[in-house]
Amino acid sequence: MWTANEIAQLCYEHYGIRLPKQGKPESNREWTLLAAVVKIQSPVVQACDKPVQVTKEVVSMGTGTKCIGQSKMRKSGDILNDSHAEIIARRSFQRYLLHQLQLSATLKEDSIFVPGTQRGRWKLRPDLFFVFFSSHTPCGDASIIPMLEVEDQPCCPVSRDWASNPSVEASSNLEAPENKKKCEDLDSPVTKKMRLDLGAPAREVANGTAHHQSFGNQESGLIPPGVSSSNLTVEGLASVTRIALGGAKVVDVHRTGAKCVPGEAGDLGKPGAAYHRVGLLRVKPGRGDRTRSMSCSDKVARWNVLGCQGALLMHFLEEPIYLTAVVIGKCPYSQEAMQRALIERCQNVSALPKGFGIQELKLQQSDLLFEHSRCAVQAKRADSSGRLVPCGAAISWSAVPEQPLDVTANGFPQGTTKKGIGSLQARSRISKVELFRSFQKLLSSIAEDKWPDSLRVQKLNTYQEYKEAASAYQEAWSTLRKQAFASWIRNPPDYHQFK
């Protein structure tokens, strides 16, 4: 139906054609991250003798690498707290969903929605689903990936027994026979699939020794170096003597800048593979000013239970809007770390309201590299002087007819002056207050007798009141926090009192 490379290529082409030069990284000096939501349309019923006709369309896109510190947060809802690409893409997707609801509910035009069984509510057409793309693994838990003691040779996958077998030392005679043969034959199809093909090998330095980063292609079903699962304990990561199937030790982990949230056990901070604890909630780092933004791993895991639409849009929807798959571009990657971070941490959550549930998210990796990724830019500027830095701007794009683009820096539209902050022009189109304004515009265009029941029971005024009135969503979120994400950082209610 679709492949990871097809999704990546579609997103990279969209980035090149639809997104402006403004907001993109400065050549040979800056890098950024890219994320997008792709709509897939596939016929529900297909004739047996005809090939499946599938259409793919990017409906939202985001770039960005920055967050604001908690001291810069505003109670007026007019600043973007989190401008990581994944979050920009998701907020841009919410803008797209609002436009599609407007088409259905007031303009009576074709859209992605069809009427639901309840008054004023809609549901996604059965022939549509959404795939999320990110050029890099989400920051936080999904980015804690083992590194192997390997030099200039392809590596076999890390053993699934890596964590559960702490007494085993790296030794060539401990390999499974079927895997030993594959590892010895460097020209075998299995080994070829695992080769690094970035030109020159990318390296990470740990404990004074250079080690290969693992770049994998998940379309083949091969699992690149990865940790065992979400039950990987502190003890599981505490030793650096675990083995890979090729006899290589797991000597370190790719590290995430995201910090453990207050109230959870912190990282051990020991050398090598014992540096991080895994499976924990984390906040994105700030420069001296701590942020209140949860890591992208945590947020994607939350979307996989609550949906991508958020609380406001649940008023108009019978069911949450879930992602069917997550595709990651070429970068250090672990299938098992992704599985643990995005799915398994929530897999035992139960008693969710009707319509909500933990999704069987399909996880794949493309072997196509994003042109403005840190790795790609670093490779191009091998002989250049000066420091490589993350791009300070973020770009939002939504498949909407009016002003689809939005370029921001430090949470405000690029070019905003201190004097301009607080004005209507100084609001991103995907800020809380602007998405709330779009929601209210949708509501005002619908006759009250056609409103969903959740909006008819009481007079609502503030952003907080409208969110709280989405009772099923709030019940699901409360259940998720109690059973899996108890330490999740929530902003105080006074940050949501704007109208």
Side-chain angles (χ1 to χ4, degrees):
M1 184 179 287
W2 57 267
T3 67
N5 278 356
E6 287 173 352
I7 297 295
Q9 186 64 38
L10 181 68
C11 293
Y12 295 159
E13 289 174 357
H14 191 95
Y15 172 82
I17 296 169
R18 295 293 189 93
L19 269 58
K21 187 175 181 182
Q22 179 194 7
K24 287 182 178 177
E26 185 181 320
S27 181
N28 284 334
R29 198 183 80 84
E30 295 180 328
W31 59 273
T32 194
L33 302 172
L34 175 71
V37 177
V38 177
K39 180 184 74 174
I40 310 285
Q41 181 176 355
S42 177
V44 177
V45 179
Q46 184 73 26
C48 297
D49 58 341
K50 291 184 179 180
V52 176
Q53 296 295 312
V54 176
T55 60
K56 300 180 285 291
E57 177 192 0
V58 175
V59 294
S60 77
M61 180 166 279
T63 72
T65 65
K66 303 284 188 177
C67 278
I68 64 166
Q70 57 187 355
S71 68
K72 292 185 173 64
M73 291 172 61
R74 291 168 57 84
K75 296 179 181 179
S76 49
D78 60 355
I79 190 170
L80 296 176
N81 297 333
D82 187 343
S83 292
H84 278 217
E86 295 95 323
I87 311 310
I88 297 291
R90 184 255 186 164
R91 298 188 73 80
S92 304
F93 182 52
Q94 290 176 318
R95 191 176 175 215
Y96 165 77
L97 293 176
L98 276 162
H99 171 67
Q100 292 293 316
L101 282 167
Q102 186 90 36
L103 292 178
S104 297
T106 65
L107 302 177
K108 309 300 181 188
E109 294 183 21
D110 287 343
S111 85
I112 64 171
F113 295 112
V114 293
T117 58
Q118 303 168 46
R119 176 174 51 190
R121 291 182 182 262
W122 302 81
K123 60 184 180 181
L124 189 66
R125 275 172 30 194
D127 60 335
L128 300 178
F129 60 91
F130 297 102
V131 173
F132 192 81
F133 174 78
S134 177
S135 62
H136 198 278
T137 49
C139 67
D141 200 49
S143 288
I144 302 175
I145 301 168
M147 288 191 288
L148 305 182
E149 187 180 53
V150 183
E151 275 299 318
D152 295 319
Q153 63 186 50
C155 58
C156 290
V158 170
S159 168
R160 289 180 178 268
D161 297 326
W162 177 63
S164 58
N165 216 359
S167 62
V168 177
E169 292 290 333
S171 171
S172 60
N173 62 5
L174 291 176
E175 297 162 12
E178 64 273 18
N179 288 315
K180 182 174 182 179
K181 184 176 181 181
K182 288 176 185 175
C183 290
E184 287 173 346
D185 182 6
L186 297 184
D187 289 320
S188 74
V190 173
T191 306
K192 283 182 178 177
K193 284 278 188 184
M194 293 179 175
R195 286 190 195 277
L196 296 172
D197 77 338
L198 287 178
R203 297 168 185 263
E204 286 278 334
V205 176
N207 300 337
T209 308
H211 304 289
H212 285 296
Q213 293 180 1
S214 55
F215 290 82
N217 179 355
Q218 280 310 112
E219 290 180 286
S220 64
L222 295 167
I223 300 174
V227 292
S228 182
S229 70
S230 61
N231 64 10
L232 183 54
T233 62
V234 176
E235 291 73 20
L237 269 173
S239 169
V240 296
T241 58
R242 313 302 192 257
I243 67 164
L245 291 178
K249 294 178 186 177
V250 175
V251 293
D252 205 340
V253 287
H254 288 282
R255 297 177 186 180
T256 178
K259 310 299 180 187
C260 298
V261 299
E264 291 215 344
D267 287 320
L268 295 175
K270 294 181 179 179
Y275 184 83
H276 280 307
R277 296 177 194 255
V278 297
L280 301 183
L281 290 173
R282 296 175 179 271
V283 290
K284 290 165 181 165
R287 288 190 170 183
D289 185 11
R290 194 176 185 120
T291 79
R292 295 183 65 86
S293 297
M294 302 298 294
S295 76
C296 288
S297 291
D298 299 333
K299 290 186 176 182
V300 177
R302 174 183 169 176
W303 304 341
N304 198 46
V305 180
L306 303 183
C308 288
Q309 74 294 318
L312 285 183
L313 285 176
M314 275 310 297
H315 286 293
F316 289 107
L317 298 173
E318 275 196 348
E319 302 165 346
I321 304 294
Y322 287 114
L323 300 169
T324 298
V326 172
V327 173
I328 303 296
K330 190 166 190 174
C331 65
Y333 180 91
S334 162
Q335 184 78 357
E336 293 179 79
M338 287 281 289
Q339 187 81 18
R340 175 193 71 228
L342 306 189
I343 302 170
E344 291 176 356
R345 290 190 293 170
C346 303
Q347 67 184 0
N348 295 322
V349 173
S350 60
L352 289 163
K354 182 182 177 182
F356 291 87
I358 295 84
Q359 304 303 298
E360 287 297 323
L361 196 60
K362 187 176 182 180
L363 305 174
Q364 292 195 354
Q365 187 184 27
S366 165
D367 56 10
L368 302 180
L369 189 64
F370 175 45
E371 63 174 310
H372 286 147
S373 68
R374 187 173 190 170
C375 182
V377 177
Q378 187 75 61
K380 287 179 187 174
R381 68 189 300 274
D383 300 324
S384 303
S385 59
R387 191 161 154 256
L388 182 63
V389 297
C391 181
I395 307 174
S396 158
W397 181 91
S398 299
V400 297
E402 295 181 14
Q403 300 177 307
L405 278 164
D406 195 57
V407 181
T408 55
N410 301 311
F412 293 112
Q414 198 171 45
T416 300
T417 62
K418 283 188 178 180
K419 189 176 179 180
I421 292 175
S423 67
L424 292 177
Q425 292 74 28
R427 293 176 176 180
S428 164
R429 296 183 185 97
I430 56 169
S431 62
K432 286 187 181 77
V433 69
E434 281 298 296
L435 289 178
F436 184 39
R437 188 184 66 82
S438 296
F439 171 84
Q440 290 174 311
K441 181 181 175 183
L442 170 63
L443 191 59
S444 65
S445 65
I446 301 172
E448 278 196 45
D449 61 341
K450 291 185 169 62
W451 285 8
D453 291 344
S454 58
L455 294 173
R456 293 157 55 88
V457 293
Q458 57 183 317
K459 179 71 173 172
L460 303 170
N461 292 301
T462 66
Y463 178 72
Q464 177 78 8
E465 288 172 357
Y466 274 97
K467 286 183 60 160
E468 290 298 328
S471 55
Y473 181 92
Q474 295 300 340
E475 182 187 343
W477 179 210
S478 176
T479 301
L480 178 59
R481 289 199 311 275
K482 287 175 183 175
Q483 297 184 29
F485 289 159
S487 300
W488 190 284
I489 293 177
R490 303 181 73 198
N491 293 329
D494 56 342
Y495 280 90
H496 293 155
Q497 296 306 321
F498 53 87
K499 297 180 181 180

